[in-house]
Amino acid sequence: MPNNPVMAARFGYLTNRQDNRLSASKPGPAGAAACLRWIHVVVTRHVTWDPAIAAGASPARRTRP
């Protein structure tokens, strides 16, 4: 997670949020689930990897029909 800024930000959010804070060992499975969702979208919707899309900052765009 520390090598990917999107995953690092997500880890920081999950461990530092005020409501329902996770312990340091719990965000690993949550990160793995997020990664699987990203891979699914890239493969099924033909979207190129974009950190802004992965972070939810911008909507996904298809690269091919």
Side-chain angles (χ1 to χ4, degrees), residues 39-56:
I39 291 169
H40 175 75
V41 169
V42 167
V43 171
T44 61
R45 296 187 183 177
H46 308 289
V47 177
T48 57
W49 168 254
D50 182 359
I53 294 171

PDB file of all heavy atoms in Angstrom, residues 39-56:
ATOM      1  N   ILE A  39      -9.630  -3.506 -10.685  1.00  0.00           N
ATOM      2  CA  ILE A  39      -9.258  -4.414 -11.777  1.00  0.00           C
ATOM      3  C   ILE A  39     -10.497  -4.811 -12.578  1.00  0.00           C
ATOM      4  O   ILE A  39     -10.469  -4.844 -13.805  1.00  0.00           O
ATOM      5  CB  ILE A  39      -8.522  -5.653 -11.228  1.00  0.00           C
ATOM      6  CG1 ILE A  39      -7.152  -5.251 -10.685  1.00  0.00           C
ATOM      7  CG2 ILE A  39      -8.377  -6.727 -12.297  1.00  0.00           C
ATOM      8  CD1 ILE A  39      -6.461  -6.333  -9.888  1.00  0.00           C
ATOM      9  N   HIS A  40     -11.585  -5.091 -11.880  1.00  0.00           N
ATOM     10  CA  HIS A  40     -12.825  -5.463 -12.563  1.00  0.00           C
ATOM     11  C   HIS A  40     -13.289  -4.349 -13.503  1.00  0.00           C
ATOM     12  O   HIS A  40     -13.661  -4.608 -14.650  1.00  0.00           O
ATOM     13  CB  HIS A  40     -13.911  -5.777 -11.532  1.00  0.00           C
ATOM     14  CG  HIS A  40     -15.249  -6.059 -12.126  1.00  0.00           C
ATOM     15  ND1 HIS A  40     -15.539  -7.246 -12.748  1.00  0.00           N
ATOM     16  CD2 HIS A  40     -16.364  -5.295 -12.215  1.00  0.00           C
ATOM     17  CE1 HIS A  40     -16.780  -7.203 -13.189  1.00  0.00           C
ATOM     18  NE2 HIS A  40     -17.302  -6.023 -12.879  1.00  0.00           N
ATOM     19  N   VAL A  41     -13.255  -3.120 -13.045  1.00  0.00           N
ATOM     20  CA  VAL A  41     -13.688  -1.993 -13.881  1.00  0.00           C
ATOM     21  C   VAL A  41     -12.757  -1.817 -15.073  1.00  0.00           C
ATOM     22  O   VAL A  41     -13.209  -1.606 -16.198  1.00  0.00           O
ATOM     23  CB  VAL A  41     -13.766  -0.698 -13.046  1.00  0.00           C
ATOM     24  CG1 VAL A  41     -13.946   0.519 -13.936  1.00  0.00           C
ATOM     25  CG2 VAL A  41     -14.903  -0.788 -12.046  1.00  0.00           C
ATOM     26  N   VAL A  42     -11.453  -1.916 -14.861  1.00  0.00           N
ATOM     27  CA  VAL A  42     -10.494  -1.757 -15.959  1.00  0.00           C
ATOM     28  C   VAL A  42     -10.738  -2.817 -17.031  1.00  0.00           C
ATOM     29  O   VAL A  42     -10.730  -2.519 -18.225  1.00  0.00           O
ATOM     30  CB  VAL A  42      -9.042  -1.826 -15.432  1.00  0.00           C
ATOM     31  CG1 VAL A  42      -8.047  -1.974 -16.553  1.00  0.00           C
ATOM     32  CG2 VAL A  42      -8.727  -0.581 -14.611  1.00  0.00           C
ATOM     33  N   VAL A  43     -10.991  -4.046 -16.626  1.00  0.00           N
ATOM     34  CA  VAL A  43     -11.161  -5.139 -17.580  1.00  0.00           C
ATOM     35  C   VAL A  43     -12.540  -5.107 -18.247  1.00  0.00           C
ATOM     36  O   VAL A  43     -12.642  -5.229 -19.464  1.00  0.00           O
ATOM     37  CB  VAL A  43     -10.932  -6.499 -16.882  1.00  0.00           C
ATOM     38  CG1 VAL A  43     -11.305  -7.657 -17.779  1.00  0.00           C
ATOM     39  CG2 VAL A  43      -9.472  -6.612 -16.446  1.00  0.00           C
ATOM     40  N   THR A  44     -13.593  -4.924 -17.480  1.00  0.00           N
ATOM     41  CA  THR A  44     -14.938  -5.028 -18.051  1.00  0.00           C
ATOM     42  C   THR A  44     -15.403  -3.771 -18.768  1.00  0.00           C
ATOM     43  O   THR A  44     -16.155  -3.856 -19.728  1.00  0.00           O
ATOM     44  CB  THR A  44     -15.973  -5.391 -16.979  1.00  0.00           C
ATOM     45  OG1 THR A  44     -15.992  -4.368 -15.980  1.00  0.00           O
ATOM     46  CG2 THR A  44     -15.670  -6.743 -16.370  1.00  0.00           C
ATOM     47  N   ARG A  45     -14.973  -2.608 -18.314  1.00  0.00           N
ATOM     48  CA  ARG A  45     -15.408  -1.352 -18.942  1.00  0.00           C
ATOM     49  C   ARG A  45     -14.349  -0.744 -19.850  1.00  0.00           C
ATOM     50  O   ARG A  45     -14.566   0.335 -20.399  1.00  0.00           O
ATOM     51  CB  ARG A  45     -15.803  -0.352 -17.869  1.00  0.00           C
ATOM     52  CG  ARG A  45     -17.001  -0.810 -17.074  1.00  0.00           C
ATOM     53  CD  ARG A  45     -17.462   0.253 -16.155  1.00  0.00           C
ATOM     54  NE  ARG A  45     -18.583  -0.230 -15.349  1.00  0.00           N
ATOM     55  CZ  ARG A  45     -19.158   0.467 -14.414  1.00  0.00           C
ATOM     56  NH1 ARG A  45     -18.756   1.681 -14.152  1.00  0.00           N
ATOM     57  NH2 ARG A  45     -20.162  -0.044 -13.741  1.00  0.00           N
ATOM     58  N   HIS A  46     -13.211  -1.407 -19.947  1.00  0.00           N
ATOM     59  CA  HIS A  46     -12.129  -0.951 -20.820  1.00  0.00           C
ATOM     60  C   HIS A  46     -11.693   0.471 -20.483  1.00  0.00           C
ATOM     61  O   HIS A  46     -11.569   1.319 -21.347  1.00  0.00           O
ATOM     62  CB  HIS A  46     -12.527  -1.060 -22.293  1.00  0.00           C
ATOM     63  CG  HIS A  46     -13.035  -2.411 -22.659  1.00  0.00           C
ATOM     64  ND1 HIS A  46     -12.204  -3.502 -22.739  1.00  0.00           N
ATOM     65  CD2 HIS A  46     -14.282  -2.858 -22.921  1.00  0.00           C
ATOM     66  CE1 HIS A  46     -12.921  -4.560 -23.068  1.00  0.00           C
ATOM     67  NE2 HIS A  46     -14.180  -4.197 -23.174  1.00  0.00           N
ATOM     68  N   VAL A  47     -11.487   0.715 -19.199  1.00  0.00           N
ATOM     69  CA  VAL A  47     -11.064   2.019 -18.707  1.00  0.00           C
ATOM     70  C   VAL A  47      -9.592   1.923 -18.344  1.00  0.00           C
ATOM     71  O   VAL A  47      -9.179   0.973 -17.682  1.00  0.00           O
ATOM     72  CB  VAL A  47     -11.892   2.425 -17.464  1.00  0.00           C
ATOM     73  CG1 VAL A  47     -11.427   3.738 -16.892  1.00  0.00           C
ATOM     74  CG2 VAL A  47     -13.357   2.481 -17.805  1.00  0.00           C
ATOM     75  N   THR A  48      -8.791   2.897 -18.779  1.00  0.00           N
ATOM     76  CA  THR A  48      -7.383   2.897 -18.389  1.00  0.00           C
ATOM     77  C   THR A  48      -7.266   3.289 -16.925  1.00  0.00           C
ATOM     78  O   THR A  48      -8.102   4.013 -16.387  1.00  0.00           O
ATOM     79  CB  THR A  48      -6.565   3.873 -19.257  1.00  0.00           C
ATOM     80  OG1 THR A  48      -7.133   5.170 -19.142  1.00  0.00           O
ATOM     81  CG2 THR A  48      -6.559   3.443 -20.704  1.00  0.00           C
ATOM     82  N   TRP A  49      -6.202   2.820 -16.280  1.00  0.00           N
ATOM     83  CA  TRP A  49      -5.986   3.134 -14.872  1.00  0.00           C
ATOM     84  C   TRP A  49      -5.713   4.620 -14.721  1.00  0.00           C
ATOM     85  O   TRP A  49      -4.862   5.193 -15.401  1.00  0.00           O
ATOM     86  CB  TRP A  49      -4.815   2.332 -14.314  1.00  0.00           C
ATOM     87  CG  TRP A  49      -4.381   2.818 -12.974  1.00  0.00           C
ATOM     88  CD1 TRP A  49      -3.270   3.537 -12.698  1.00  0.00           C
ATOM     89  CD2 TRP A  49      -5.055   2.633 -11.727  1.00  0.00           C
ATOM     90  NE1 TRP A  49      -3.199   3.814 -11.364  1.00  0.00           N
ATOM     91  CE2 TRP A  49      -4.295   3.271 -10.745  1.00  0.00           C
ATOM     92  CE3 TRP A  49      -6.229   2.001 -11.363  1.00  0.00           C
ATOM     93  CZ2 TRP A  49      -4.663   3.293  -9.405  1.00  0.00           C
ATOM     94  CZ3 TRP A  49      -6.591   2.022 -10.033  1.00  0.00           C
ATOM     95  CH2 TRP A  49      -5.816   2.653  -9.074  1.00  0.00           C
ATOM     96  N   ASP A  50      -6.440   5.263 -13.859  1.00  0.00           N
ATOM     97  CA  ASP A  50      -6.263   6.673 -13.567  1.00  0.00           C
ATOM     98  C   ASP A  50      -6.443   6.852 -12.066  1.00  0.00           C
ATOM     99  O   ASP A  50      -7.502   6.537 -11.535  1.00  0.00           O
ATOM    100  CB  ASP A  50      -7.291   7.497 -14.341  1.00  0.00           C
ATOM    101  CG  ASP A  50      -7.136   8.987 -14.138  1.00  0.00           C
ATOM    102  OD1 ASP A  50      -6.236   9.416 -13.383  1.00  0.00           O
ATOM    103  OD2 ASP A  50      -7.917   9.737 -14.740  1.00  0.00           O
ATOM    104  N   PRO A  51      -5.422   7.352 -11.365  1.00  0.00           N
ATOM    105  CA  PRO A  51      -5.550   7.526  -9.916  1.00  0.00           C
ATOM    106  C   PRO A  51      -6.716   8.416  -9.505  1.00  0.00           C
ATOM    107  O   PRO A  51      -7.329   8.192  -8.470  1.00  0.00           O
ATOM    108  CB  PRO A  51      -4.215   8.150  -9.509  1.00  0.00           C
ATOM    109  CG  PRO A  51      -3.273   7.789 -10.585  1.00  0.00           C
ATOM    110  CD  PRO A  51      -4.083   7.692 -11.834  1.00  0.00           C
ATOM    111  N   ALA A  52      -7.044   9.419 -10.311  1.00  0.00           N
ATOM    112  CA  ALA A  52      -8.168  10.294  -9.972  1.00  0.00           C
ATOM    113  C   ALA A  52      -9.486   9.524 -10.009  1.00  0.00           C
ATOM    114  O   ALA A  52     -10.352   9.717  -9.158  1.00  0.00           O
ATOM    115  CB  ALA A  52      -8.218  11.480 -10.928  1.00  0.00           C
ATOM    116  N   ILE A  53      -9.631   8.647 -10.989  1.00  0.00           N
ATOM    117  CA  ILE A  53     -10.841   7.825 -11.064  1.00  0.00           C
ATOM    118  C   ILE A  53     -10.877   6.847  -9.895  1.00  0.00           C
ATOM    119  O   ILE A  53     -11.908   6.670  -9.252  1.00  0.00           O
ATOM    120  CB  ILE A  53     -10.907   7.064 -12.408  1.00  0.00           C
ATOM    121  CG1 ILE A  53     -11.074   8.051 -13.570  1.00  0.00           C
ATOM    122  CG2 ILE A  53     -12.060   6.057 -12.404  1.00  0.00           C
ATOM    123  CD1 ILE A  53     -10.940   7.417 -14.931  1.00  0.00           C
ATOM    124  N   ALA A  54      -9.743   6.226  -9.592  1.00  0.00           N
ATOM    125  CA  ALA A  54      -9.681   5.260  -8.492  1.00  0.00           C
ATOM    126  C   ALA A  54      -9.994   5.913  -7.152  1.00  0.00           C
ATOM    127  O   ALA A  54     -10.606   5.299  -6.282  1.00  0.00           O
ATOM    128  CB  ALA A  54      -8.306   4.610  -8.449  1.00  0.00           C
ATOM    129  N   ALA A  55      -9.605   7.167  -7.002  1.00  0.00           N
ATOM    130  CA  ALA A  55      -9.868   7.882  -5.753  1.00  0.00           C
ATOM    131  C   ALA A  55     -11.278   8.454  -5.699  1.00  0.00           C
ATOM    132  O   ALA A  55     -11.705   8.965  -4.681  1.00  0.00           O
ATOM    133  CB  ALA A  55      -8.848   9.002  -5.577  1.00  0.00           C
ATOM    134  N   GLY A  56     -12.005   8.369  -6.829  1.00  0.00           N
ATOM    135  CA  GLY A  56     -13.366   8.873  -6.871  1.00  0.00           C
ATOM    136  C   GLY A  56     -13.464  10.362  -7.180  1.00  0.00           C
ATOM    137  O   GLY A  56     -14.511  10.964  -7.025  1.00  0.00           O
TER     138      GLY A  56
END
